[in-house]
Amino acid sequence: MVKKETYKIILSGGGTGGHIYPAIAIANELKSRFPDAEFLFVGAKDRMEMEKVPEAGYDIIGLWISGIQRKLTLKNLMFPFKLISSLWKARKVIRSFKPNLAIGTGGFASGPLLYMAASAKIPCLIQEQNSFPGITNKLLAKKVQKICVAYDDLERFFPKDKIIKTGNPVRQDLLDVEDKTVEAKNFFNLKHGKYTLLVLGGSLGSRRINELIEKELDFLDTQNVQVIWQCGKLYYQQYKIYNNTNNVQVYEFLNKMDYAYAAADIVISRAGASSVSELCIVGKPVIFIPSPNVAEDHQTKNAMAIVDHDAAMLIKEEDLDADFENKFSQLIATPEKQKQLGAHIKEMALINATNDIVDQVETLLNNK
């Protein structure tokens, strides 16, 4: 039922698509329930949320904030100044906007924003996408009222009485990709008699996955495979030379993800939390290549939560040269295995995540 309350809701999450798109999905569902509500996003000044959030129709304010680098760099020396600046600006934004509730989905900017919101006694909810939480959400856990998670056994990191397992919010247009296969292949000008491989390296791109695909283009051609290759913003200039050669299409970013998934027969992907959640809903056979360059190797943990249910394949970066061609050709040659992986991963989907999270938001608003 659509409600008329004029709530003010502030959301923060960014740095990568894995933090941005869950926040947008939550805002969209809240907007459908409360059409008169006001929304404001807070992000990091130079990150992709400053572009993607306005594209989704929401206002955003940028903070001067970034993460701590793993090695000693000039950026790390600037971190205390950025943090103080961001806390001050977050406090100013909260005093000006006067939100009824604050929502954080992880990323640099959500730390200062949620910290200052909680300090101002504003009800707060955070959403943790990964099987191993990021530092921002771990620090915020004691200050917020509710923590929505996508994996079991997170009591190691968060107060048990605040945890609600909801799953990760995903784009609602992914729920019916099975019905879009023909129009999706036409959209990408693909051949209907060939296997289609979708390659995803995350919103910014993956150097190692891109190197693999470049090296294996001739091999993929011998397997009767056409490729939709999202190489990422950082790598597009380097790899665009392969666009429309050997049945390959190269993209910096895919705006029609529902069509990309619908067109795909097999997917190669990183194992960021949002990607894993989307792939569960889509129900296609997946080869995960987790990034080893993330905190606590959480992408491998995300992927293994699926692989352990015989619902996906995993190849570590260090094993790509030795194992990729063998494992890929076996999968292509075994339609039964493809069907089995697709069915098993679909069984793990939590398709009501966005609704369940917004139900928790409503509870906080009602209590307020």
Side-chain angles (χ1 to χ4, degrees):
M1 187 175 75
V2 172
K3 304 171 183 73
K4 284 290 183 186
E5 285 87 341
T6 54
Y7 292 121
K8 289 187 166 189
I9 297 166
I10 199 162
L11 303 99
S12 186
T16 66
H19 295 307
I20 298 164
Y21 292 115
I24 291 172
I26 292 168
N28 288 342
E29 175 59 25
L30 279 165
K31 194 174 183 180
S32 74
R33 297 192 194 188
F34 304 103
D36 296 332
E38 289 182 50
F39 296 90
L40 178 65
F41 279 70
V42 175
K45 260 184 183 175
D46 56 348
R47 302 303 293 249
M48 66 185 286
E49 56 264 31
M50 301 308 292
E51 177 187 342
K52 298 301 175 188
V53 169
E55 282 178 7
Y58 296 101
D59 293 332
I60 186 167
I61 291 172
L63 304 181
W64 186 44
I65 189 69
S66 60
I68 300 174
Q69 308 295 309
R70 295 190 178 190
K71 48 195 175 189
L72 188 61
T73 66
L74 194 58
K75 283 186 177 179
N76 277 352
L77 298 177
M78 294 297 291
F79 180 77
F81 302 101
K82 289 184 176 183
L83 181 60
I84 292 164
S85 164
S86 295
L87 287 166
W88 178 82
K89 188 167 182 181
R91 183 183 180 203
K92 193 175 172 185
V93 167
I94 286 162
R95 283 184 168 181
S96 169
F97 187 65
K98 297 184 174 63
N100 298 100
L101 184 117
I103 299 168
T105 57
F108 316 134
S110 67
L113 190 280
L114 270 287
Y115 179 87
M116 296 312 292
S119 300
K121 301 289 188 276
I122 292 162
C124 295
L125 174 147
I126 55 176
Q127 195 262 326
E128 174 54 57
Q129 296 102 29
N130 287 295
S131 57
F132 194 96
I135 187 168
T136 301
N137 280 349
K138 281 196 273 190
L139 290 171
L140 290 171
K142 289 181 181 175
K143 288 191 154 287
V144 305
Q145 280 68 44
K146 291 180 182 284
I147 305 168
C148 295
V149 303
Y151 291 89
D152 295 319
D153 304 320
L154 290 184
E155 295 85 359
R156 295 172 292 157
F157 311 105
F158 299 139
K160 187 175 181 180
D161 60 329
K162 296 183 181 182
I163 296 174
I164 304 103
K165 187 180 178 185
T166 57
N168 287 324
V170 297
R171 301 165 241 233
Q172 292 304 293
D173 57 7
L174 301 185
L175 297 176
D176 59 351
V177 297
E178 290 173 5
D179 301 328
K180 300 177 183 176
T181 303
V182 173
E183 62 186 282
K185 291 203 171 187
N186 290 339
F187 176 82
F188 286 107
N189 293 315
L190 295 165
K191 293 172 182 150
H192 287 266
K194 289 174 85 77
Y195 270 100
T196 302
L197 170 66
L198 173 62
V199 180
L200 304 170
S203 49
L204 300 177
S206 157
R207 180 182 59 81
R208 187 64 188 91
I209 289 178
N210 288 336
E211 288 174 351
L212 171 77
I213 298 304
E214 181 181 40
K215 172 175 169 274
E216 300 293 355
L217 284 177
D218 288 340
F219 162 74
L220 292 169
D221 198 37
T222 68
Q223 300 291 304
N224 195 33
V225 169
Q226 55 197 345
V227 183
I228 302 172
W229 179 6
Q230 182 191 297
C231 65
K233 184 177 183 179
L234 301 179
Y235 302 96
Y236 182 69
Q237 294 305 318
Q238 181 179 351
Y239 293 106
K240 68 179 182 181
I241 57 168
Y242 296 107
N243 201 19
N244 297 316
T245 61
N246 280 16
N247 297 299
V248 178
Q249 296 182 31
V250 183
Y251 294 88
E252 176 182 321
F253 192 82
L254 288 163
N255 287 313
K256 292 284 289 179
M257 278 308 301
D258 57 332
Y259 277 7
Y261 285 129
D265 296 296
I266 295 174
V267 183
I268 288 174
S269 177
R270 283 300 200 198
S274 288
S275 296
V276 173
S277 297
E278 289 187 355
L279 288 161
C280 287
I281 283 172
V282 167
K284 298 288 176 84
V286 182
I287 299 173
F288 285 119
I289 304 174
S291 170
N293 310 310
V294 292
E296 304 295 332
D297 197 22
H298 70 251
Q299 284 205 7
T300 299
K301 295 180 174 74
N302 291 348
M304 287 307 300
I306 308 298
V307 173
D308 286 345
H309 287 82
D310 195 22
M313 296 169 65
L314 182 150
I315 308 177
K316 291 187 175 181
E317 279 197 359
E318 64 204 53
D319 299 327
L320 283 172
D321 290 335
D323 291 351
F324 176 76
E325 289 190 7
N326 184 37
K327 289 194 172 181
F328 188 86
S329 54
Q330 282 183 15
L331 183 59
I332 279 282
T334 321
E336 302 81 18
K337 179 71 171 174
Q338 296 169 36
K339 196 172 178 182
Q340 179 192 63
L341 291 176
H344 286 183
I345 197 169
K346 203 168 179 68
E347 287 169 5
M348 301 189 71
L350 294 167
I351 62 172
N352 294 316
T354 310
N355 276 317
D356 292 344
I357 292 165
V358 174
D359 286 346
Q360 297 301 322
V361 170
E362 274 209 61
T363 302
L364 288 177
L365 288 170
N366 291 335
N367 289 345
K368 176 73 173 169

